[in-house]
Short mmCIF file of all heavy atoms in Angstrom, two decimals:
data_model
loop_
_atom_site.label_atom_id
_atom_site.label_comp_id
_atom_site.label_asym_id
_atom_site.label_seq_id
_atom_site.Cartn_x
_atom_site.Cartn_y
_atom_site.Cartn_z
N GLY A 12 0.77 -1.22 -0.04
CA GLY A 12 0.04 0.03 0.04
C GLY A 12 0.88 1.28 -0.02
O GLY A 12 2.05 1.13 0.02
N SER A 13 0.22 2.35 -0.01
CA SER A 13 0.77 3.65 -0.08
C SER A 13 0.28 4.59 1.05
O SER A 13 -0.83 4.33 1.54
CB SER A 13 0.44 4.39 -1.46
OG SER A 13 1.04 3.63 -2.53
N LEU A 14 1.03 5.56 1.34
CA LEU A 14 0.62 6.41 2.46
C LEU A 14 1.29 7.73 2.28
O LEU A 14 2.42 7.90 1.73
CB LEU A 14 1.02 5.84 3.78
CG LEU A 14 0.32 6.23 5.09
CD1 LEU A 14 -1.08 5.89 4.99
CD2 LEU A 14 0.99 5.49 6.33
N ARG A 15 0.58 8.84 2.61
CA ARG A 15 1.20 10.20 2.68
C ARG A 15 1.29 10.76 4.10
O ARG A 15 0.24 10.78 4.82
CB ARG A 15 0.30 11.19 1.76
CG ARG A 15 0.77 12.67 2.01
CD ARG A 15 0.14 13.63 0.97
NE ARG A 15 0.91 13.57 -0.30
CZ ARG A 15 0.88 14.50 -1.16
NH1 ARG A 15 -0.09 15.54 -1.04
NH2 ARG A 15 1.64 14.55 -2.28
N LEU A 16 2.43 11.00 4.47
CA LEU A 16 2.69 11.67 5.78
C LEU A 16 2.87 13.18 5.63
O LEU A 16 3.36 13.64 4.63
CB LEU A 16 3.80 11.06 6.49
CG LEU A 16 3.94 9.49 6.64
CD1 LEU A 16 5.12 9.05 7.40
CD2 LEU A 16 2.63 8.99 7.27
N SER A 17 2.45 13.88 6.72
CA SER A 17 2.64 15.36 6.60
C SER A 17 3.49 15.83 7.76
O SER A 17 3.42 15.27 8.81
CB SER A 17 1.15 16.03 6.69
OG SER A 17 0.35 15.68 5.71
N CYS A 18 4.22 16.88 7.55
CA CYS A 18 4.98 17.61 8.52
C CYS A 18 4.70 19.05 8.45
O CYS A 18 4.95 19.67 7.51
CB CYS A 18 6.58 17.35 8.23
SG CYS A 18 7.60 18.21 9.39
N THR A 19 4.02 19.59 9.49
CA THR A 19 3.50 20.91 9.38
C THR A 19 4.23 21.70 10.56
O THR A 19 4.32 21.26 11.64
CB THR A 19 2.02 20.91 9.64
OG1 THR A 19 1.38 20.20 8.62
CG2 THR A 19 1.43 22.38 9.61
N ALA A 20 4.61 22.86 10.19
CA ALA A 20 5.23 23.87 11.11
C ALA A 20 4.19 24.76 11.60
O ALA A 20 3.38 25.26 10.78
CB ALA A 20 6.44 24.49 10.52
N SER A 21 4.26 25.09 12.90
CA SER A 21 3.21 25.88 13.50
C SER A 21 3.40 27.38 13.30
O SER A 21 2.53 28.15 13.40
CB SER A 21 3.03 25.60 14.95
OG SER A 21 4.24 25.83 15.69
N SER A 22 4.78 27.82 13.23
CA SER A 22 4.93 29.30 13.20
C SER A 22 5.88 29.73 12.13
O SER A 22 5.46 30.22 11.07
CB SER A 22 5.60 29.67 14.59
OG SER A 22 6.67 28.89 14.90
N LEU A 23 7.11 29.51 12.24
CA LEU A 23 8.07 29.96 11.19
C LEU A 23 7.91 29.19 9.91
O LEU A 23 7.35 28.10 9.82
CB LEU A 23 9.53 29.72 11.74
CG LEU A 23 9.83 30.42 13.09
CD1 LEU A 23 11.26 30.07 13.48
CD2 LEU A 23 9.75 31.92 12.96
N SER A 24 8.33 29.75 8.75
CA SER A 24 8.14 29.21 7.48
C SER A 24 9.12 28.04 7.26
O SER A 24 10.33 28.08 7.40
CB SER A 24 8.59 30.27 6.38
OG SER A 24 8.53 29.61 5.14
N LEU A 25 8.48 26.89 7.04
CA LEU A 25 9.24 25.59 6.88
C LEU A 25 10.00 25.62 5.61
O LEU A 25 11.05 24.96 5.43
CB LEU A 25 8.27 24.41 6.94
CG LEU A 25 8.89 23.04 7.12
CD1 LEU A 25 9.72 22.98 8.31
CD2 LEU A 25 7.74 21.95 7.20
N ASN A 26 9.67 26.39 4.69
CA ASN A 26 10.25 26.53 3.40
C ASN A 26 11.75 27.07 3.51
O ASN A 26 12.61 26.85 2.67
CB ASN A 26 9.60 27.40 2.39
CG ASN A 26 10.04 27.17 0.98
OD1 ASN A 26 10.23 26.04 0.53
ND2 ASN A 26 10.22 28.25 0.26
N LYS A 27 12.14 27.62 4.57
CA LYS A 27 13.41 28.23 4.79
C LYS A 27 14.38 27.22 5.56
O LYS A 27 15.47 27.61 5.76
CB LYS A 27 13.28 29.51 5.68
CG LYS A 27 12.52 30.58 5.08
CD LYS A 27 12.49 31.83 5.92
CE LYS A 27 11.69 33.01 5.18
NZ LYS A 27 11.75 34.23 6.01
N TYR A 28 13.80 26.03 5.82
CA TYR A 28 14.64 25.05 6.47
C TYR A 28 14.95 23.86 5.61
O TYR A 28 14.12 23.52 4.81
CB TYR A 28 13.96 24.63 7.74
CG TYR A 28 13.87 25.67 8.80
CD1 TYR A 28 12.93 26.66 8.75
CD2 TYR A 28 14.77 25.83 9.82
CE1 TYR A 28 12.79 27.66 9.69
CE2 TYR A 28 14.72 26.82 10.83
CZ TYR A 28 13.77 27.75 10.67
OH TYR A 28 13.63 28.71 11.70
N ILE A 29 16.12 23.15 5.90
CA ILE A 29 16.28 21.82 5.46
C ILE A 29 15.36 20.94 6.26
O ILE A 29 15.12 21.11 7.38
CB ILE A 29 17.69 21.43 5.69
CG1 ILE A 29 18.70 22.21 4.82
CG2 ILE A 29 17.83 19.93 5.44
CD1 ILE A 29 20.15 21.97 5.26
N VAL A 30 14.59 20.05 5.53
CA VAL A 30 13.76 19.03 6.14
C VAL A 30 14.26 17.62 5.97
O VAL A 30 14.52 17.30 4.72
CB VAL A 30 12.31 19.27 5.76
CG1 VAL A 30 11.39 18.18 6.35
CG2 VAL A 30 11.79 20.65 6.21
N GLY A 31 14.34 16.87 6.97
CA GLY A 31 14.65 15.48 6.82
C GLY A 31 13.46 14.61 7.41
O GLY A 31 12.83 15.04 8.35
N TRP A 32 13.34 13.40 6.79
CA TRP A 32 12.41 12.50 7.27
C TRP A 32 13.23 11.29 7.81
O TRP A 32 14.09 10.77 7.07
CB TRP A 32 11.41 11.98 6.27
CG TRP A 32 10.29 12.91 6.03
CD1 TRP A 32 10.12 13.98 5.09
CD2 TRP A 32 8.98 12.93 6.76
NE1 TRP A 32 9.02 14.59 5.16
CE2 TRP A 32 8.25 14.02 6.23
CE3 TRP A 32 8.54 12.21 7.76
CZ2 TRP A 32 7.00 14.35 6.67
CZ3 TRP A 32 7.30 12.53 8.33
CH2 TRP A 32 6.50 13.68 7.70
N PHE A 33 12.88 10.80 8.98
CA PHE A 33 13.59 9.61 9.50
C PHE A 33 12.49 8.68 10.08
O PHE A 33 11.30 9.00 10.19
CB PHE A 33 14.42 10.20 10.83
CG PHE A 33 15.49 11.05 10.44
CD1 PHE A 33 15.29 12.40 10.13
CD2 PHE A 33 16.80 10.60 10.34
CE1 PHE A 33 16.34 13.23 9.84
CE2 PHE A 33 17.87 11.43 10.07
CZ PHE A 33 17.59 12.74 9.76
N ARG A 34 13.04 7.41 10.31
CA ARG A 34 12.03 6.50 10.89
C ARG A 34 12.79 5.59 11.93
O ARG A 34 13.99 5.40 11.78
CB ARG A 34 11.50 5.59 9.72
CG ARG A 34 12.39 4.59 9.08
CD ARG A 34 11.72 3.86 8.03
NE ARG A 34 12.60 2.82 7.50
CZ ARG A 34 12.26 1.88 6.57
NH1 ARG A 34 11.00 1.92 6.10
NH2 ARG A 34 13.16 1.07 6.11
N GLN A 35 12.00 5.09 12.85
CA GLN A 35 12.60 4.24 13.94
C GLN A 35 11.66 3.11 14.19
O GLN A 35 10.56 3.20 14.63
CB GLN A 35 12.81 5.00 15.24
CG GLN A 35 13.67 4.16 16.15
CD GLN A 35 14.14 5.09 17.31
OE1 GLN A 35 13.70 6.28 17.52
NE2 GLN A 35 15.14 4.61 18.15
N ALA A 36 12.17 1.91 13.77
CA ALA A 36 11.45 0.75 14.04
C ALA A 36 11.72 0.23 15.54
O ALA A 36 12.69 0.56 16.06
CB ALA A 36 11.83 -0.31 13.01
N PRO A 37 10.83 -0.64 15.98
CA PRO A 37 10.98 -1.16 17.38
C PRO A 37 12.49 -1.78 17.53
O PRO A 37 12.94 -2.59 16.64
CB PRO A 37 9.98 -2.21 17.51
CG PRO A 37 8.86 -1.74 16.60
CD PRO A 37 9.60 -1.15 15.33
N GLU A 38 13.09 -1.38 18.50
CA GLU A 38 14.44 -1.93 18.93
C GLU A 38 15.54 -1.70 17.82
O GLU A 38 16.49 -2.33 17.85
CB GLU A 38 14.36 -3.40 19.26
CG GLU A 38 13.33 -3.67 20.31
CD GLU A 38 13.24 -5.22 20.68
OE1 GLU A 38 13.94 -6.03 19.99
OE2 GLU A 38 12.49 -5.59 21.55
N LYS A 39 15.28 -0.69 17.01
CA LYS A 39 16.33 -0.33 16.04
C LYS A 39 16.66 1.08 16.11
O LYS A 39 15.85 1.95 16.69
CB LYS A 39 15.78 -0.64 14.65
CG LYS A 39 15.67 -2.15 14.34
CD LYS A 39 15.42 -2.44 12.87
CE LYS A 39 15.37 -3.84 12.60
NZ LYS A 39 15.26 -4.14 11.19
N GLU A 40 17.82 1.48 15.59
CA GLU A 40 18.19 2.92 15.61
C GLU A 40 17.36 3.69 14.53
O GLU A 40 16.91 3.18 13.66
CB GLU A 40 19.62 3.02 15.28
CG GLU A 40 20.55 2.51 16.41
CD GLU A 40 21.94 3.04 16.27
OE1 GLU A 40 22.26 3.78 15.42
OE2 GLU A 40 22.76 2.51 17.13
N ARG A 41 17.21 5.04 14.89
CA ARG A 41 16.59 5.89 13.92
C ARG A 41 17.43 5.96 12.68
O ARG A 41 18.65 6.22 12.67
CB ARG A 41 16.43 7.22 14.61
CG ARG A 41 15.47 8.25 13.89
CD ARG A 41 15.08 9.37 14.72
NE ARG A 41 14.44 8.97 16.01
CZ ARG A 41 13.92 9.84 16.89
NH1 ARG A 41 13.96 11.16 16.55
NH2 ARG A 41 13.35 9.47 18.00
N GLU A 42 16.72 5.82 11.53
CA GLU A 42 17.50 5.94 10.16
C GLU A 42 16.86 6.96 9.30
O GLU A 42 15.72 7.24 9.37
CB GLU A 42 17.55 4.57 9.49
CG GLU A 42 16.20 4.00 9.16
CD GLU A 42 16.23 2.74 8.35
OE1 GLU A 42 17.31 2.19 8.24
OE2 GLU A 42 15.15 2.24 7.98
N GLY A 43 17.72 7.54 8.43
CA GLY A 43 17.20 8.56 7.58
C GLY A 43 16.46 8.00 6.36
O GLY A 43 16.83 6.95 5.84
N VAL A 44 15.37 8.62 5.97
CA VAL A 44 14.59 8.17 4.69
C VAL A 44 14.92 9.17 3.58
O VAL A 44 15.31 8.69 2.51
CB VAL A 44 13.11 8.26 5.04
CG1 VAL A 44 12.27 7.99 3.84
CG2 VAL A 44 12.71 7.34 6.16
N LEU A 45 14.87 10.38 3.81
CA LEU A 45 15.26 11.37 2.87
C LEU A 45 15.39 12.77 3.41
O LEU A 45 14.91 12.97 4.52
CB LEU A 45 14.43 11.40 1.60
CG LEU A 45 12.91 11.82 1.72
CD1 LEU A 45 12.57 13.18 2.03
CD2 LEU A 45 12.05 11.38 0.51
N CYS A 46 16.10 13.66 2.64
CA CYS A 46 16.07 15.06 3.13
C CYS A 46 15.96 15.97 1.94
O CYS A 46 16.27 15.57 0.77
CB CYS A 46 17.28 15.41 3.95
SG CYS A 46 18.84 15.21 3.15
N THR A 47 15.53 17.20 2.15
CA THR A 47 15.42 18.16 1.04
C THR A 47 15.90 19.50 1.56
O THR A 47 15.68 19.95 2.61
CB THR A 47 13.86 18.23 0.60
OG1 THR A 47 13.82 19.20 -0.43
CG2 THR A 47 12.98 18.48 1.81
N THR A 48 16.58 20.22 0.67
CA THR A 48 17.15 21.55 1.03
C THR A 48 16.02 22.55 1.15
O THR A 48 14.87 22.33 0.71
CB THR A 48 18.11 21.98 -0.05
OG1 THR A 48 17.50 21.95 -1.37
CG2 THR A 48 19.41 21.11 -0.06
N ALA A 49 16.34 23.59 1.80
CA ALA A 49 15.40 24.74 1.89
C ALA A 49 14.92 25.12 0.54
O ALA A 49 15.62 25.25 -0.37
CB ALA A 49 16.07 25.86 2.69
N GLY A 50 13.61 25.29 0.37
CA GLY A 50 13.06 25.48 -0.90
C GLY A 50 12.78 24.28 -1.76
O GLY A 50 12.05 24.27 -2.72
N GLY A 51 13.37 23.21 -1.40
CA GLY A 51 12.97 21.95 -2.02
C GLY A 51 13.91 21.62 -3.32
O GLY A 51 13.56 20.72 -3.96
N GLY A 52 14.87 22.41 -3.51
CA GLY A 52 15.64 22.09 -4.90
C GLY A 52 16.36 20.86 -4.97
O GLY A 52 16.51 20.39 -6.10
N ILE A 53 16.92 20.41 -3.81
CA ILE A 53 17.79 19.17 -3.97
C ILE A 53 17.12 18.15 -2.94
O ILE A 53 16.70 18.60 -1.81
CB ILE A 53 19.17 19.54 -3.49
CG1 ILE A 53 19.85 20.42 -4.55
CG2 ILE A 53 19.98 18.31 -3.33
CD1 ILE A 53 21.20 21.00 -4.17
N ILE A 54 17.13 17.01 -3.34
CA ILE A 54 16.61 15.83 -2.41
C ILE A 54 17.72 14.75 -2.40
O ILE A 54 18.27 14.45 -3.37
CB ILE A 54 15.36 15.23 -3.06
CG1 ILE A 54 14.17 16.24 -3.17
CG2 ILE A 54 14.83 14.15 -2.11
CD1 ILE A 54 12.99 15.82 -3.90
N PHE A 55 17.99 14.30 -1.11
CA PHE A 55 18.87 13.22 -0.90
C PHE A 55 18.23 12.08 -0.33
O PHE A 55 17.48 12.19 0.65
CB PHE A 55 20.08 13.74 -0.04
CG PHE A 55 20.94 12.59 0.24
CD1 PHE A 55 22.00 12.22 -0.72
CD2 PHE A 55 20.97 11.98 1.54
CE1 PHE A 55 22.81 11.14 -0.34
CE2 PHE A 55 21.86 10.93 1.81
CZ PHE A 55 22.78 10.59 1.00
N TYR A 56 18.31 10.91 -1.00
CA TYR A 56 17.54 9.63 -0.53
C TYR A 56 18.47 8.80 0.29
O TYR A 56 19.55 8.45 -0.14
CB TYR A 56 17.01 8.93 -1.70
CG TYR A 56 15.98 9.71 -2.49
CD1 TYR A 56 16.38 10.56 -3.54
CD2 TYR A 56 14.62 9.57 -2.11
CE1 TYR A 56 15.47 11.24 -4.30
CE2 TYR A 56 13.63 10.41 -2.87
CZ TYR A 56 14.12 11.18 -4.01
OH TYR A 56 13.20 11.91 -4.65
N GLY A 57 18.03 8.26 1.34
CA GLY A 57 18.64 7.28 2.09
C GLY A 57 18.41 5.92 1.42
O GLY A 57 17.58 5.79 0.56
#
């Protein structure tokens, strides 16, 4: 299946920040999924 997750910022503009997505499975370390530069121009995939 597919799923869309959202990350919403409450105050400051999220577009001015690098944003990374991570995940942590039970009993495992947190690992990176992907990140995107401020403005979204560059994406790096784990």
Side-chain angles (χ1 to χ4, degrees):
S13 300
L14 205 57
R15 165 169 277 195
L16 305 182
S17 301
C18 172
T19 301
S21 60
S22 54
L23 303 176
S24 173
L25 195 53
N26 196 45
K27 296 181 179 180
Y28 292 83
I29 294 169
V30 174
W32 281 96
F33 296 80
R34 68 180 186 178
Q35 187 165 16
E38 300 182 0
K39 292 191 176 181
E40 290 197 1
R41 194 169 299 187
E42 64 176 1
V44 176
L45 60 73
C46 62
T47 175
T48 52
I53 296 173
I54 302 169
F55 176 76
Y56 297 91

